[in-house]
Amino acid sequence: EVQLVESGGGLVKPGGSLRLSCAASGFTFSSYSMNWVRQAPGKGLEWVSSISSSSSYIYYADSVKGRFTISRDNAKNSLYLQMNSLRAEDTAVYYCARVPARTAPYFDYWGQGTLVTVSS
Amino acid sequence: EIVMTQSPATLSVSPGERATLSCRASQSVSSNLAWYQQKPGQAPRLLIYGASTRATGIPARFSGSGSGTEFTLTISSLQSEDFAVYYCQQYNNWYTFGQGTKLEIK
């Protein structure tokens, strides 16, 4: 069974940093591209960042470019999101999501999410 | 950026009836369109990809149609567990989501 479990969320002050993790199991993690998607309280979904299976290709939404860094450790079956210079508008539930194939780049499995709150 | 617009924002339907949700793209996304269902406190769940292909385990009462800029999600006979928020997503040019349609019990 595919499982994605996020962790690392919490309360942080504006300008602060946080590192999110996503632990994957039930599939060959190293074969899949992964993504982070966020959802502000009571709002819709916003794609944040993508990373290919071997980390060769990395992409960011303009809203986080230069502040967030996506990475992965295939040996540990883990995905990460380093978030720096956090702003109030970064407050959201952050989900990790799997892409089933390069030719099918939608999100077939999602974790349960981890809440990041940026507030003084 | 491709803007996805869903309508209506809220749809009130009685159990057993049909629900039709719409999604429009600001430019063609071909058939690179997915639908997700989200219940309160839960992660989104993939329903439809490729505009019309049901994901694994999704009941046949869910169907998707359309291509280019106009898309529809139809739920043929609403069950109690179908009342949720539905999002469309284009993956033709990066990723953008619609703002969601809340399907509520009438």
Side-chain angles (χ1 to χ4, degrees), chain B residues 28-78:
Chain B
S28 177
V29 299
S30 186
S31 293
N32 296 313
L33 191 285
W35 290 94
Y36 300 87
Q37 176 194 67
Q38 188 178 35
K39 297 179 180 179
Q42 296 185 17
R45 177 175 71 143
L46 176 67
L47 298 175
I48 300 285
Y49 62 90
S52 61
T53 302
R54 279 190 304 277
T56 302
I58 301 303
R61 64 180 181 273
F62 290 89
S63 63
S65 63
S67 66
T69 62
E70 300 284 343
F71 301 89
T72 300
L73 174 69
T74 301
I75 311 171
S76 59
S77 178
L78 280 163

Side-chain angles (χ1 to χ4, degrees), chain A residues 26-77:
Chain A
F27 65 103
T28 305
F29 180 72
S30 59
S31 297
Y32 291 85
S33 294
M34 297 295 295
N35 290 261
W36 289 99
V37 178
R38 68 184 180 183
Q39 186 171 36
K43 303 297 184 182
L45 300 164
E46 179 190 16
W47 169 75
V48 172
S49 183
S50 294
I51 186 168
S52 63
S53 58
S54 61
S55 304
S56 297
Y57 300 97
I58 288 176
Y59 306 101
Y60 299 98
D62 287 344
S63 57
V64 306
K65 200 172 294 183
R67 300 187 299 122
F68 289 12
T69 302
I70 192 172
S71 63
R72 63 191 296 161
D73 185 336
N74 287 342
K76 295 183 178 180
N77 291 336

Side-chain angles (χ1 to χ4, degrees), chain B residues 18 25 27 29 38 51 60 71 82 102:
Chain B
R18 173 189 296 256
Q27 63 189 77
V29 299
Q38 188 178 35
F71 301 89
D82 299 335
K102 182 180 181 181

Side-chain angles (χ1 to χ4, degrees), chain A residues 39 45 59 95 105-107 111, chain B residues 36 38 43 49 87 89 94-95:
Chain A
Q39 186 171 36
L45 300 164
Y59 306 101
Y95 298 100
Y106 47 87
F107 306 144
Chain B
Y36 300 87
Q38 188 178 35
Y49 62 90
Y87 293 96
Q89 176 212 28
W94 300 112
Y95 302 107

